[in-house]
Amino acid sequence: MKKAVPKKSNHKILDSTSNVPTDTSAGQSVMENSAGTEADSKIIVPLNSIDRNSLSASIESMIHLSRDIIVVLGKNQVIQTLNPAACQALGIGREKAEGKNWFDHFVTRSMRTSARKSFQDLFSGKRDSMGYLVIPIVNKMGEEKLIEWEGIALKDGGGTPEAVLLSGRDITQQKRIEKELIQSEWDMALAQKIARLGGWVYNMANDEIRMSDEMVHIFGTSLQASPVPYKVFLKLIHPDDRQRVAASHEESLRTGKGHKVEYRVLLTDGTERTVYEESKIFLDDLDNPLKVRGIVQDISERKKVQDRLMHAEKLSSIGKLSASIAHEINNPLFGIRNVLERTRMCVPLKEADERFIDMAISETDRIAKLTRRLNNFFSPTREHKEPLQINRILEEITLLIHKELEDRKIKLQARYAEVLPEVMAVPDQIKQVALNLVQNAMEAIPESGGEIILTTFHQDSYLYFSVADNGTGMTEDTRKNIFEPFFTTKSKNEGTGLGLWVTNGIVQSHGGGIEVHSECGNGTTFTVSLPMV
Ligand code: ADP
Ligand code: MG
């Protein structure tokens, strides 16, 4: 790469772009060519070939025309002369400025001491030049300007400093732009943070990708914003989505068109985030891909809300559906109940069979109530609470599922507390809770069979009943989601994913709670607590 021309030079050259020769300590003149490099652009001109008078006249007119501020100060710190650019910056005419103490009149108060010191250093011969210093000045209109100064001592024939020549460039505007730029960069970073928007640049030449700070943050990686090999970047993507994203990247490079893709990233702590990515391909002169730029937005929250909305929509359609189903069920149910009632009254039955008929009648009543509840799927049921014996409810359920347990080779153990206080609860709802839990327990037990233990007990002001099985158990991930509506690990025909959601709702509305203990491969225990008051 070509070496750039240095912006500033500490040689005693008036201006690197002016092509005006000046003395060097070697007694030669140097001309610098602004287009060339430092080494090849210095043309050494023997000093004796230039007419001194014409040289000093040229320098004087250069000073006069210079856009830089040029001020010559005498030993007493007073302005001896200044150029039009200086007059303009100071807002003062030449005659008025000459003879004024430079520091007292034009240097910002807070900088006077240090500015005077630099001046003294030049006069005392301690230094030949000030080196570039930024010293603000205040002009006659009271405006402060940031000036970058260089100063040199002007010496007499014997080498004694006689005056100081200050050359300054107004950098107020430049500094303001720099400040604004920093501010806008900062604003941009903040905006990206708020929008959870990151960016990346992929460099074809070295197969590396550079990620912005916010992207590094979204991806939860310890990789800093330095470029990383593309392979390393791919590893941050969720394994299930990785191939799809890589294929999409390849396809977009092949077609030269950017891509839009949604994928998940897997953070080191196991958290998943969903991001939306859009990219654009930059081509070289021969239309070959050179770079790819992409933006990545964290849409995890939006996704969650969308999912919830979808659930809500599903629920609402279920609500409508269940209302029509409930209507359809009620009519035949009424018929069945009538037949049962008639059988009970008109047909002579054994006592045990009478009990079965009674149970069938009360179960049809329960179905009728359930269908009514299906009708009001969303509105909380305001069914009547009454004193309830949990042991009795569990016994009734056991009778109902008796046959199914036998078919599934499941042994049922009842460990009920002998004395159990009553709870105030809606009987059908508690039956539904127990039935859902037992149903899940049965479904978790493999075909070879197993065991379910029903337990009741009370402690402090709570009554507990638990359903334990020695079935499949659950993974940690499943356990976290079981109370979510529509969460199911069963096939479409077997599970709705609503059982535990409804169960939880009922228990909550009774002021109780559900605890789950489950180990993968070692069975599950659900314990329901209900307040006794
Ligand atoms: P469904 O039974 O229709 O799937 P549920 O809400 O009743 O819906 O249960 C949600 C999920 O919880 C089940 O799909 C299953 O993965 C898990 N689960 C519930 N009970 C048990 C249990 N006793 N053993 C193992 N997993 C269970
Ligand atoms: Mg279920």
Side-chain angles (χ1 to χ4, degrees):
M1 278 223 297
K2 239 187 161 188
K3 208 178 144 199
V5 181
K7 247 173 133 183
K8 290 158 191 168
S9 160
N10 280 331
H11 298 286
K12 284 185 197 167
I13 298 165
L14 278 182
D15 188 321
S16 63
T17 58
S18 66
N19 286 358
V20 174
T22 57
D23 276 359
T24 66
S25 50
Q28 287 174 313
S29 287
V30 175
M31 281 182 78
E32 197 159 330
N33 175 349
S34 62
T37 63
E38 203 173 8
D40 61 22
S41 68
K42 283 178 186 169
I43 304 158
I44 311 295
V45 181
L47 193 61
N48 51 17
S49 71
I50 296 168
D51 172 41
R52 278 192 172 271
N53 285 342
S54 101
L55 176 64
S56 97
S58 303
I59 293 174
E60 223 167 90
S61 57
M62 280 301 305
I63 289 176
H64 188 78
L65 294 173
S66 171
R67 283 197 219 158
D68 285 347
I69 301 165
I70 294 177
V71 183
V72 178
L73 302 181
K75 262 189 186 154
N76 50 0
Q77 308 180 354
V78 153
I79 300 176
Q80 283 185 352
T81 187
L82 72 172
N83 72 345
C87 290
Q88 202 188 357
L90 299 174
I92 193 169
R94 185 177 174 155
E95 287 81 21
K96 282 203 171 163
E98 283 173 359
K100 284 208 158 58
N101 184 296
W102 168 251
F103 298 98
D104 290 346
H105 283 85
F106 299 108
V107 174
T108 307
R109 190 178 292 270
S110 61
M111 293 297 287
R112 278 181 200 157
T113 313
S114 62
R116 273 200 176 97
K117 188 174 176 309
S118 307
F119 174 85
Q120 298 297 356
D121 285 351
L122 291 177
F123 261 107
S124 62
K126 208 167 164 187
R127 304 180 66 174
D128 278 343
S129 78
M130 236 163 65
Y132 284 91
L133 283 181
V134 176
I135 300 172
I137 58 164
V138 187
N139 67 13
K140 276 292 157 209
M141 283 80 81
E143 294 164 348
E144 193 171 291
K145 287 177 188 265
L146 263 189
I147 313 288
E148 188 177 51
W149 295 102
E150 171 57 306
I152 51 166
L154 301 176
K155 298 174 183 171
D156 63 11
T160 313
E162 278 297 303
V164 162
L165 184 137
L166 293 175
S167 161
R169 186 162 289 181
D170 190 344
I171 55 165
T172 318
Q173 181 87 339
Q174 180 192 330
K175 283 284 164 198
R176 212 197 66 233
I177 292 170
E178 271 172 24
K179 213 170 144 191
E180 279 173 6
L181 208 67
I182 291 170
Q183 179 67 36
S184 78
E185 265 173 23
W186 194 83
D187 287 351
M188 186 64 128
L190 186 70
Q192 289 195 351
K193 198 167 171 211
I194 292 169
R196 307 218 18 98
L197 197 71
W200 54 260
V201 182
Y202 169 66
N203 192 344
M204 294 286 296
N206 52 15
D207 196 32
E208 278 186 344
I209 197 161
R210 178 189 284 274
M211 298 184 274
S212 74
D213 287 352
E214 187 52 26
M215 181 164 171
V216 168
H217 183 232
I218 293 169
F219 279 53
T221 163
S222 54
L223 300 168
Q224 283 314 308
S226 52
V228 289
Y230 179 67
K231 265 196 301 194
V232 174
F233 161 74
L234 272 186
K235 285 213 175 107
L236 302 172
I237 297 174
H238 194 291
D240 296 351
D241 295 350
R242 203 173 288 157
Q243 223 180 347
R244 179 171 55 85
V245 178
S248 179
H249 278 155
E250 273 158 34
E251 173 72 6
S252 78
L253 278 177
R254 205 179 53 72
T255 57
K257 290 181 187 152
H259 75 169
K260 293 176 184 180
V261 65
E262 199 178 295
Y263 58 89
R264 289 164 299 166
V265 285
L266 193 59
L267 275 58
T268 36
D269 64 359
T271 319
E272 269 182 28
R273 279 196 184 139
T274 311
V275 297
Y276 171 74
E277 177 178 296
E278 256 190 68
S279 71
K280 190 171 178 342
I281 315 269
F282 290 82
L283 308 173
D284 63 11
D285 296 342
L286 300 170
D287 280 353
N288 292 318
L290 188 70
K291 272 189 177 153
V292 190
R293 276 182 181 277
I295 53 123
V296 163
Q297 185 167 34
D298 181 356
I299 55 162
S300 315
E301 281 306 309
R302 197 201 303 168
K303 264 275 195 262
K304 262 189 218 158
V305 174
Q306 264 175 4
D307 284 354
R308 270 187 219 133
L309 273 173
M310 263 173 62
H311 278 318
E313 248 166 56
K314 271 194 209 170
L315 286 178
S316 125
S317 42
I318 282 189
K320 285 180 203 144
L321 228 149
S322 60
S324 64
I325 292 173
H327 182 77
E328 293 297 315
I329 289 175
N330 264 343
N331 288 343
L333 198 67
F334 194 65
I336 294 170
R337 197 183 188 286
N338 271 347
V339 173
L340 289 171
E341 287 270 4
R342 259 184 78 89
T343 315
R344 172 87 164 80
M345 282 191 326
C346 310
V347 182
L349 293 166
K350 284 188 208 146
E351 204 187 314
D353 294 335
E354 263 180 18
R355 253 188 75 205
F356 273 118
I357 296 271
D358 284 346
M359 250 176 68
I361 290 172
S362 86
E363 285 308 313
T364 53
D365 287 345
R366 200 158 79 81
I367 295 172
K369 279 186 190 167
L370 273 175
T371 53
R372 213 178 310 130
R373 282 201 36 225
L374 269 178
N375 245 335
N376 311 314
F377 198 70
F378 293 107
S379 49
T381 54
R382 280 195 205 90
E383 281 160 86
H384 190 62
K385 280 190 183 167
E386 53 190 74
L388 208 72
Q389 259 295 343
I390 295 290
N391 286 356
R392 247 208 25 234
I393 297 232
L394 293 178
E395 273 162 11
E396 278 180 34
I397 283 172
T398 313
L399 269 176
L400 277 178
I401 57 167
H402 188 258
K403 179 85 174 66
E404 195 171 348
L405 286 171
E406 224 177 69
D407 290 349
R408 288 178 181 256
K409 302 190 218 62
I410 298 172
K411 276 203 303 188
L412 189 110
Q413 265 196 59
R415 296 182 186 164
Y416 303 148
E418 271 177 30
V419 184
L420 199 64
E422 289 180 326
V423 278
M424 286 299 285
V426 182
D428 284 338
Q429 291 188 0
I430 299 302
K431 262 192 205 175
Q432 195 176 341
V433 166
L435 203 57
N436 285 350
L437 295 178
V438 173
Q439 186 75 33
N440 278 345
M442 289 196 294
E443 284 166 0
I445 289 172
E447 272 181 28
S448 51
E451 188 178 46
I452 293 177
I453 304 170
L454 299 179
T455 313
T456 59
F457 61 100
H458 69 100
Q459 200 179 339
D460 302 328
S461 54
Y462 280 86
L463 186 144
Y464 298 83
F465 70 93
S466 69
V467 180
D469 65 69
N470 61 353
T472 56
M474 292 176 235
T475 63
E476 179 63 21
D477 218 32
T478 300
R479 211 187 54 73
K480 272 195 238 160
N481 289 301
I482 51 174
F483 295 115
E484 292 293 322
F486 300 106
F487 174 83
T488 180
T489 54
K490 296 165 195 172
S491 72
K492 267 188 186 154
N493 299 334
E494 281 177 344
T496 61
L498 286 172
L500 288 177
W501 179 64
V502 169
T503 300
N504 195 34
I506 292 174
V507 174
Q508 301 272 331
S509 73
H510 279 79
I514 306 180
E515 252 185 45
V516 191
H517 180 81
S518 186
E519 257 176 67
C520 219
N522 264 335
T524 304
T525 305
F526 280 89
T527 307
V528 176
S529 60
L530 294 169
M532 285 191 298
V533 193

